[in-house]
């Protein structure tokens, strides 16, 4: 039994030493950003360095300004295109919502439960075509108005007698 116990203690001690060594190596390893092939790549260019961020794709131009270095983002046509596409997608979504709202407003929206046709119910009444009776009333009114207008023209022509022998209206 004592031999087995010493084997366990030796194995445990070896494991502890291995973990401690791994921790020490991990602490002494430089940051990913400083390693070759890390997040940033630096390329010499006229008047400074170009810096590429491999995670975002952003490019900067870095120049010496006195004792300091400063990096400024370079203009990126793809970022402008991405922003324009995002704006167009938002506009498209807004326009589709407005079309749906207007279709519902005039009665072309989707059929609701209990409706026979495609007209949407709105508070205060929905959009509907006039009935035959309404059309007949409107035509009758128009006919009476034209007849009254003609009567007034005849009255005007006949009322002035001999003075008005010109061309009739």
């Amino acid at each position: 039994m004592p031999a087995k116990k010493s084997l366990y203690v030796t194995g445990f001690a070896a494991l502890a030493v291995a973990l401690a060594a791994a921790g020490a190596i991990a602490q002494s390893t430089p940051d990913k950003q400083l390693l070759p092939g890390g997040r940033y790549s630096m390329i010499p260019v006229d008047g400074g360095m170009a810096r590429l961020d491999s995670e975002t794709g952003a490019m900067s131009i870095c120049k010496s300004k006195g004792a300091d270095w400063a990096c400024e983002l370079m203009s990126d046509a793809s970022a402008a295109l991405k922003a324009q596409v995002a704006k167009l997608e938002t506009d498209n979504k807004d326009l589709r919502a407005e079309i749906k709202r207007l279709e519902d407003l005039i009665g072309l929206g989707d059929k609701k439960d209990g409706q026979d046709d495609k007209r949407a119910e709105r508070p205060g009444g929905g959009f509907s075509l006039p009935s035959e009776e309404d059309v007949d009333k409107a035509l009758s009114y128009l006919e009476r108005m034209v007849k009254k207008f003609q009567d007034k023209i005849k009255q005007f022509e006949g009322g002035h007698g001999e003075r008005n022998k010109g061309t009739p209206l």
Side-chain angles (χ1 to χ4, degrees):
M1 254 306 170
K4 281 189 178 180
K5 195 174 199 183
S6 110
L7 184 64
Y8 286 126
V9 171
T10 305
F12 180 72
L15 180 63
V17 169
L19 289 175
I25 290 171
Q27 286 179 343
S28 67
T29 302
D31 192 12
K32 175 185 174 189
Q33 295 179 2
L34 301 176
L35 290 175
R39 179 174 178 177
Y40 297 104
S41 299
M42 303 292 279
I43 303 162
V45 294
D46 290 339
M49 301 287 280
R51 180 180 73 177
L52 169 67
D53 185 341
S54 63
E55 288 185 12
T56 64
M59 294 210 43
S60 302
I61 188 81
C62 300
K63 294 181 181 180
S64 174
K65 294 186 178 184
D68 296 327
W69 279 79
C71 296
E72 296 176 9
L73 280 175
M74 297 170 72
S75 63
D76 185 8
S78 66
L81 289 175
K82 286 177 186 177
Q84 185 178 12
V85 167
K87 182 187 179 310
L88 291 173
E89 286 175 345
T90 302
D91 290 349
N92 190 347
K93 181 181 173 187
D94 293 344
L95 289 172
R96 288 182 186 273
E98 180 67 9
I99 287 170
K100 176 149 179 37
R101 186 189 70 78
L102 291 173
E103 284 177 344
D104 289 344
L105 182 69
I106 64 170
L108 297 176
D110 293 332
K111 187 171 140 179
K112 293 182 181 178
D113 293 338
Q115 284 183 329
D116 293 335
D117 59 1
K118 290 188 115 185
R119 274 188 264 154
E121 288 295 323
R122 290 187 327 174
F127 178 78
S128 62
L129 294 175
S131 67
E132 285 290 323
E133 183 180 321
D134 292 337
V135 172
D136 289 341
K137 284 181 184 178
L139 288 175
S140 175
Y141 176 78
L142 184 62
E143 184 179 345
R144 287 191 315 267
M145 187 176 68
V146 168
K147 185 171 170 111
K148 287 181 180 180
F149 184 70
Q150 288 173 341
D151 290 343
K152 286 293 179 184
I153 290 176
K154 286 179 186 176
Q155 182 183 11
F156 179 73
E157 288 177 347
H160 294 289
E162 294 291 322
R163 284 187 314 164
N164 202 10
K165 290 254 183 191
T167 308
L169 295 176

